[in-house]
Structures are given as structure tokens and as C-alpha cells.
Amino acid sequence: MPIWKLICAQAHDSAIRAAAYSHSEDWLISADQDGVVKYWQPNFNNVKAIQAHSDPIRDVAFSPNDAKFITACDDATLKIFDFAAGTEESTLTGHNWDAKSVDWHPTKGLIVSGSKDHQVKLWDPRTGRCLTSLHGHKNTVARTTFEPTRGQLLATCARDQTARVFDLRMMRDVCLLRGHEKDISTLTWHPFHTSLLTTGGSDGSIFHYLLDEPNSPPDVIPSMPAYDHPDPSNAPAQTIYPAHRIQYAHEFAVWSLSWHPLGHILASGSNDRATHFWTRPRPGDTKYSSDEWHVGKAAAEAQGTWDRRGARRSMREEEEQELEDEVEGLVDQKMPAKQPILPGLPGLTAAPNITRDGTSTGGAQIRQQSQLPGMPGLPGGLAPPNSITKMDPSEFAALMAEGKLPVPPPFGGPGQGIPPPPPNFDFSKLPPGMLPPGFQLPPGFPPMAPPNINGLGLQTMVNDGGGASSIRRRAPLPSQQESLMMEQRQGKYRIAR
């Protein structure tokens, strides 16, 4: 039975051995190695957990109306549970060894089970009585499943390298499926085509069978269908060979097969930790039969239809692309990078310093430079446009050739490129932090008055006219008595308690 892996964090404490969705697709049940069955909602929210068995559970199945479900366990028993209450209703006993598979008929009250004792048994879920035992396999029965459309056929596979199709109306096998060279580990019916059956082998192969086409090899005489025989009840089963083979579908045993509900895609899960999705070839495509899945990697490489290095390179590129996508997804979730701003001027970014890079004549190209010569402390500063326009063109060209620009005059001087502030401008009304530390006021302006924040324990800046020699002092912290008086001035703590 396939080992399922839920997309939950630690769904079970031991290996998950079986899982099944309800017919309404509203619930999922999973069973593990310790015999625990858990209920899951579609969002994988765990609702309930019950201890169904004390041994590993190998298979689970829902009833047609989803009111009950059944489990198959290594203790050779089958148990029917009420889904809503989570209680056991009955125990089906009769197998002589581990019960490996179980299925509930899609429309009728009929249960089928397969066991390690080589037997296939049909059960009445109402009474728990074994209706009949179907003999035909010579090794452990790995999978038993009803045909989902009409419900008249039953397919089974075993470790004897064969699969069988039973007709429930005659209670006997009508088709014997051959072709596998190793044990058959799983099988599945097509959701629409009742004659299409797909099997998966322990060697990683996947075969498609058409029950109405024997596809016998040239050296084998085709057998007659049991339905065409004069005595169908005693006629031998018709031998069916694969209509299509995918010999190298997986590197290890195929544990699970499932068709898309529309029947156009087949999913296969294997012990090689890979899940493959299969579909029909494109119209006119004739190269599919010689790819690495059908003839093997060595033969495909010899024929030139598969490149080992190219496959490794493409796999590596896919992994790298996945990593890039993950990184891009993380980058998209981050905030944009902060741009450098001018000191004391929030929201204004600093302009890059430029100079000639010397790679073209005339210095047409520009490059980044950390600081312009002769202009310390002004990152990104440029020469005032007024001084450049008044400069002689030949002198300006010589300065450009040497990588130098004229130093701007001091603030407030003649020819200043930056316009002066308006008359009677009061710098003390500027918000804190608007001017950079050490900013020197132009001549003729009164010094900035420090804000009246004494008594709050905040820093105050005292300008003694020295510009860069300004110092910062911390005002003394208010006492408890002063704090109480400040609160009482605001109308608080005036009434004695």
C-alpha cells in the first residue's frame, strides 16, 4: 500500500500507511504504523484521532454515502467505523494473515479485501459475514479495487507477477493480465473507460491494459474471451497483454497510481521519492516511444534521444531557477532600500558626485566620485552655477581637463550661487533637525535661540557664535516635587484621597 505524506507539520507520530478522501471531498482520513486514524479537513486541520488498531493499518476506504469507513490491518482483521461518532461498529474476521487491501463498492453494500494468505474475500458490511473467497493468486494480494463506473468488475493484483479481473455476476475471474517481469504492487481503473486498467510494478514499470484487446505477442495464440465461450462459468480466463508499456517509468517500485477525474492525466508515486504525471503524446509525435522512459537512459543516450549531460544541466538549471524564484519572493516581501539623504533635510536625496572618467575625448562621460577636490564636508556638492557662467571658457576647459572644479564662495559672499534667505528670517522657528549639526549662520543673522525645554531632561544646544564649537548640555532632571507641581497645574492630583 502506498505511503502518503501530508503537507502538515508532524501529522502522525509514525509512518503514514494509507489515506483516502471521502466521496464528497469534504474529509480526509489517514492511518499510520501505530494503528491511529486521523480526520482532516480540506485545509488539513486535524479534527479527530482514534486508536483503531494496535498494529499497522494498510488500507482505508469510505462507504458510498461517507457515513462509515473501513480499515485493513496487519492483525488480519477489518473494522467498520461510524465516521461521525468515530466508534467501531463491527469487526470482520476470516483472513488467516495480514490484511493488505480493502475497498467499498461504489454503489452497493459490498466490501472486498486482499490478504497475505493469497485470498480475496467479499463481505456483507451489515452482518459482517464473508460472502465468498476468490482463489487465483499464488502470493500476497497487494491491491483490490472495484470498477468505479458500472461496478460489475473487480481488479486484483499480487506479488505473483499477475493481475486478475473478476466478474461479480459470475463470481469468477474472466481476465488474466500478464506481462510484468516483477511483482505488481498497485493498479487503478480509468474513471471513464471501463476497459482500461493501469498497473505499476515493483521494478518501476507502468503498463496499460485494454480488456477488450488481448494484444498477444506474435508467438502466443490469442485466447477466447470467457463471454464468448459456450460455458462461460467454466471457461478459462482470457489472457491479456499490455497495450502500452512504460518500462522505465520510475527507478524503484511504483506504490500508487491515480487518474485525474477527467481521465487525461495519470499520476504515479514511487519509492524513488518522485511523482510523475503522464499524458498522451502530442499529435504527430513519434519520438516518445524512444525516450528514456520507454527504452531506458542508456539506450536513449545511444540513440541520441537523451543527453545525460544535458539532463543534468537542465536539472541543475531548474534547481537554480527554483532558488532564484524563492529569493525573489523573499526580496519582494522586503521594504525598499533607503536612499542617502542630505543631513538635516529629510526627504531630499544627495546628488552623486561626478567628474570626468577619462575614457572619451572631451570628458563627455561621468563617473561616481566620493568627494570633489577642494570641497570637504559637502558630499555630492557642485560648483555654484553663477561662478561657472562667469568663468572664462578656456579656464573652465583647463579645470575640467585636470578634473577640478572651482571652489564655491562662502555663504553670504559676492557671487554666491545659493540665494540668501528672506530678510528678517527667524532660524529659531525651524523644526528641530532641519539644519545639520555645526551649521554656521550667515553674517547679519541673529543667533538661534535654544527651545525652552528646561525641566524635561532633554538635550539643549547652546550657540555661542562659534558655529562648529557649539556644545550640547543635558538639562537637570526634574525633582519629584517639581513633577507633582507640573501635574497639578494641569488640573491633576488636586483632591486628596
Side-chain angles (χ1 to χ4, degrees):
M1 187 58 201
I3 301 176
W4 295 73
K5 182 180 180 182
L6 302 180
I7 54 175
C8 301
Q10 195 63 29
H12 285 261
D13 296 332
S14 59
I16 300 174
R17 296 300 181 183
Y21 270 102
S22 63
H23 295 87
S24 62
E25 299 181 355
D26 293 334
W27 294 96
L28 171 72
I29 57 175
S30 59
D32 63 13
Q33 181 79 11
D34 295 335
V36 177
V37 175
K38 291 190 176 184
Y39 293 22
W40 305 88
Q41 291 177 327
N43 60 353
F44 290 98
N45 178 35
N46 183 218
V47 177
K48 183 184 294 187
I50 59 176
Q51 185 70 47
H53 296 266
S54 57
D55 292 326
I57 299 176
R58 297 298 178 176
D59 202 2
V60 292
F62 271 97
S63 63
N65 58 0
D66 295 336
K68 306 177 190 301
F69 68 90
I70 187 170
T71 60
C73 181
D74 279 355
D75 59 6
T77 63
L78 311 173
K79 289 187 179 181
I80 299 177
F81 291 84
D82 181 88
F83 177 76
T87 57
E88 177 185 344
E89 289 191 349
S90 60
T91 301
L92 311 183
T93 59
H95 281 293
N96 300 320
W97 215 342
D98 303 354
K100 295 297 185 181
S101 178
V102 68
D103 193 21
W104 206 307
H105 195 277
T107 58
K108 298 178 174 57
L110 187 63
I111 294 174
V112 62
S113 64
S115 172
K116 199 174 180 180
D117 59 5
H118 313 171
Q119 295 184 12
V120 176
K121 290 181 177 293
L122 295 173
W123 308 81
D124 183 357
R126 301 177 184 86
T127 62
R129 184 173 61 91
C130 178
L131 300 177
T132 186
S133 296
L134 303 177
H135 303 274
H137 290 291
K138 300 178 181 179
N139 209 323
T140 301
V141 179
R143 187 71 172 163
T144 58
T145 177
F146 290 106
E147 195 276 315
T149 305
R150 298 179 181 176
Q152 298 177 353
L153 301 179
L154 166 66
T156 64
C157 64
R159 293 182 180 178
D160 56 5
Q161 306 178 12
T162 63
R164 292 179 181 269
V165 177
F166 295 85
D167 193 324
L168 299 178
R169 296 167 295 182
M170 296 187 292
M171 286 295 177
R172 54 147 300 175
D173 54 339
V174 293
C175 294
L176 173 62
L177 309 184
R178 294 186 178 274
H180 278 277
E181 299 177 357
K182 299 292 183 179
D183 301 344
I184 302 179
S185 52
T186 185
L187 55 80
T188 183
W189 291 93
H190 192 274
F192 297 133
H193 302 292
T194 59
S195 61
L196 177 56
L197 189 64
T198 304
T199 60
S202 60
D203 57 353
S205 61
I206 296 178
F207 291 174
H208 298 286
Y209 294 87
L210 294 175
L211 302 184
D212 51 2
E213 297 181 8
N215 295 298
S216 302
D219 55 344
V220 176
I221 301 176
S223 58
M224 179 184 298
Y227 304 105
D228 297 339
H229 199 275
D231 187 7
S233 300
N234 298 321
Q238 183 184 19
T239 303
I240 306 294
Y241 291 90
H244 183 75
R245 303 169 186 252
I246 310 177
Q247 190 66 46
Y248 303 92
H250 286 274
E251 296 180 0
F252 295 98
V254 179
W255 289 119
S256 59
L257 292 171
S258 180
W259 282 98
H260 188 279
L262 298 180
H264 65 297
I265 296 177
L266 173 67
S268 60
S270 169
N271 201 33
D272 59 6
R273 301 181 180 181
T275 301
H276 293 172
F277 297 87
W278 310 89
T279 185
R280 298 179 63 182
R282 295 181 178 89
D285 184 9
T286 58
K287 297 181 179 180
Y288 74 92
S289 59
S290 58
D291 59 12
E292 68 271 20
W293 313 112
H294 290 79
V295 299
K297 295 181 179 180
E301 187 176 12
Q303 296 177 5
T305 57
W306 183 72
D307 183 11
R308 186 180 302 273
R309 296 181 179 178
R312 293 177 179 174
R313 182 172 58 255
S314 61
M315 182 181 299
R316 183 170 59 254
E317 292 176 354
E318 291 177 358
E319 294 177 354
E320 294 176 355
Q321 184 64 37
E322 291 179 359
L323 294 177
E324 292 179 2
D325 295 341
E326 294 179 0
V327 172
E328 291 177 358
L330 296 176
V331 170
D332 293 341
Q333 299 175 8
K334 295 181 179 179
M335 296 296 293
K338 295 182 178 180
Q339 299 293 336
I341 60 176
L342 290 176
L345 299 177
L348 297 181
T349 59
N353 302 321
I354 60 174
T355 183
R356 185 172 63 85
D357 63 353
T359 59
S360 60
T361 59
Q365 300 182 12
I366 62 175
R367 68 178 179 181
Q368 297 285 339
Q369 183 170 319
S370 60
Q371 185 173 336
L372 291 176
M375 302 179 65
L378 293 177
L382 297 176
N386 292 341
S387 61
I388 295 178
T389 55
K390 296 178 182 180
M391 188 182 300
D392 183 64
S394 59
E395 182 183 358
F396 179 75
L399 292 176
M400 291 293 294
E402 297 177 2
K404 299 180 179 179
L405 287 177
V407 180
F411 291 105
Q416 173 180 313
I418 303 176
N424 302 326
F425 183 77
D426 190 359
F427 282 89
S428 62
K429 295 182 179 180
L430 290 176
M434 178 62 82
L435 295 177
F439 178 74
Q440 185 177 1
L441 296 176
F445 284 90
M448 294 179 58
N452 186 15
I453 55 177
N454 292 332
L456 299 181
L458 302 178
Q459 289 183 351
T460 61
M461 185 176 69
V462 180
N463 194 323
D464 56 0
S469 62
S470 302
I471 60 175
R472 292 179 180 267
R473 288 203 304 256
R474 180 178 294 275
L477 294 174
S479 63
Q480 186 175 5
Q481 184 68 21
E482 292 175 350
S483 300
L484 178 60
M485 294 175 63
M486 291 175 61
E487 293 291 336
Q488 288 179 348
R489 293 191 194 101
Q490 299 177 5
K492 301 178 181 179
Y493 307 108
R494 290 182 176 273
I495 301 175
R497 295 181 180 179

